[in-house]
Amino acid sequence: MRTLVHLSDLHFGRVDSALLAPLVQRVRELRPHVVVVSGDLTQRARTAQFEAARRFLDSLPRPQVVVPGNHDVPLYNVVQRFFAPLARFRRIIGADLEPAYVDDELAVVGINTARSLAFKGGRISKAQIERIRARLRAFDKRVTKVLVSHHPFDVPPQVGERHIVGRAGRAVRAFAECGADLLLSGHLHETHAGDAAARYGLEAGAPLVVQAGTATSTRGRGESNSFNAVYVEARRTRVDRHAWDPAARRFDLAASEVFERAGPGWRPSKVELPPPPA
Ligand SMILES: [Fe+2]
Ligand SMILES: [Fe+2]
């Protein structure tokens, strides 16, 4: 079993700073094999905001797989936006926009879906889909394959389709063919998990789409600040949501869902995985 901690939508520049130390403490307690951050590290892509995000990342366990979000592209600096949209992200957070973590049970690969031309929406290119296919095919069949992007490839029914990454249908079909198991994303500031079989009419291999809420932003859209701990086994995945408890002033387990590979994708399961290490 492998443990991933999935944080998203940090939004430095608009964080509730009281949450930072308790968040770091909770993540450390979970002793993850890898920490994933699915974009929107900053509120306005300013240098000081990236530097604050950098300090926060440095306080978290490693290894880390971090991808940018739409807020990490400068909005008002038009020259930067169109000619070097992710220059600050690359300089301060990570030069590689498709970072990866791989061990003998788990492969986690990042995808950059942030674009200069779209203010909010994201997109995946044909070239990116081909690169991901080649990478997924190179991994052993037994390895659980996880892709990380800011923009979601599927959304819960109450969320508009406009939030789905452009070219998602083609991408998800390609990922399913190549054995992608999980797609982790953020952007909605809303927690959700469910497989992508129904939306894309997949008959087999549909990946499980797992959304994390916002870990630290003051804009929670009705949901408390939270992050996910994702426990992966060959055919089972458990998603634990750890949410901020303002009275206790700490992050605590708020919900837990287990899924197992079945039918065209994944189905909710009552089978319990072994408990995570204390
Ligand atoms: Fe966000
Ligand atoms: Fe976003």
Side-chain angles (χ1 to χ4, degrees):
M1 187 176 75
R2 289 288 182 266
T3 305
L4 291 93
V5 160
H6 175 199
L7 308 176
S8 198
D9 296 80
L10 306 176
H11 288 282
F12 276 89
R14 213 185 253 202
V15 300
D16 182 345
S17 54
L19 274 59
L20 297 178
L23 175 58
V24 171
Q25 186 187 344
R26 191 77 190 115
V27 173
R28 283 190 188 149
E29 285 165 5
L30 294 167
R31 299 184 21 205
H33 294 89
V34 56
V35 173
V36 167
V37 184
S38 56
D40 280 359
L41 283 88
T42 67
Q43 183 63 18
R44 282 284 168 254
R46 300 208 167 104
T47 298
Q49 295 173 354
F50 278 119
E51 286 170 348
R54 175 77 267 160
R55 288 191 292 277
F56 174 73
L57 294 177
D58 287 344
S59 69
L60 290 171
R62 292 177 181 278
Q64 299 172 357
V65 172
V66 184
V67 296
N70 50 302
H71 278 259
D72 301 319
V73 174
L75 187 58
Y76 303 116
N77 183 331
V78 175
V79 174
Q80 276 235 331
R81 180 170 184 85
F82 292 100
F83 294 101
L86 287 164
R88 287 176 188 156
F89 181 96
R90 298 178 79 137
R91 180 162 55 82
I92 301 167
I93 303 299
D96 187 356
L97 298 178
E98 295 181 348
Y101 165 80
V102 183
D103 67 28
D104 56 358
E105 280 187 42
L106 176 69
V108 182
V109 178
I111 306 171
N112 167 28
T113 55
R115 297 290 186 270
S116 303
L117 286 169
F119 282 102
K120 266 183 160 181
R123 204 159 174 79
I124 182 165
S125 69
K126 290 176 190 164
Q128 281 178 300
I129 296 171
E130 284 315 307
R131 279 201 301 278
I132 298 290
R133 256 147 92 105
R135 288 177 92 169
L136 291 180
R137 286 210 174 106
F139 297 126
D140 191 282
K141 265 205 166 76
R142 288 165 299 182
V143 168
T144 301
K145 298 166 195 72
V146 180
L147 299 174
V148 182
S149 62
H150 178 62
H151 297 87
F153 284 91
D154 193 8
V155 291
Q158 71 273 18
V159 173
E161 288 191 357
R162 69 183 187 283
H163 293 293
I164 297 176
V165 63
R167 218 175 257 120
R170 179 184 180 133
V172 172
R173 279 187 282 275
F175 299 159
E177 273 169 29
C178 300
D181 296 291
L182 267 66
L183 308 179
L184 306 185
S185 50
H187 186 60
L188 305 176
H189 296 204
E190 209 173 310
T191 311
H192 176 72
D195 82 28
R199 184 179 300 274
Y200 301 109
L202 298 173
E203 286 171 9
L208 183 67
V209 176
V210 181
Q211 293 282 140
T214 168
T216 51
S217 165
T218 54
R219 295 165 80 200
R221 309 218 175 109
E223 223 186 65
S224 52
N225 289 100
S226 71
F227 69 93
N228 292 336
V230 184
Y231 301 92
V232 298
E233 281 190 322
R235 301 184 64 79
R236 275 183 214 158
T237 297
R238 183 172 114 205
V239 181
D240 286 358
R241 176 171 180 263
H242 294 269
W244 175 245
D245 177 340
R249 302 189 67 74
R250 60 179 209 196
F251 283 85
D252 265 326
L253 184 61
S256 187
E257 286 181 284
V258 178
F259 297 88
E260 60 184 6
R261 271 278 186 205
W266 295 80
R267 78 167 163 232
S269 160
K270 286 200 169 66
V271 181
E272 271 305 310
L273 288 169

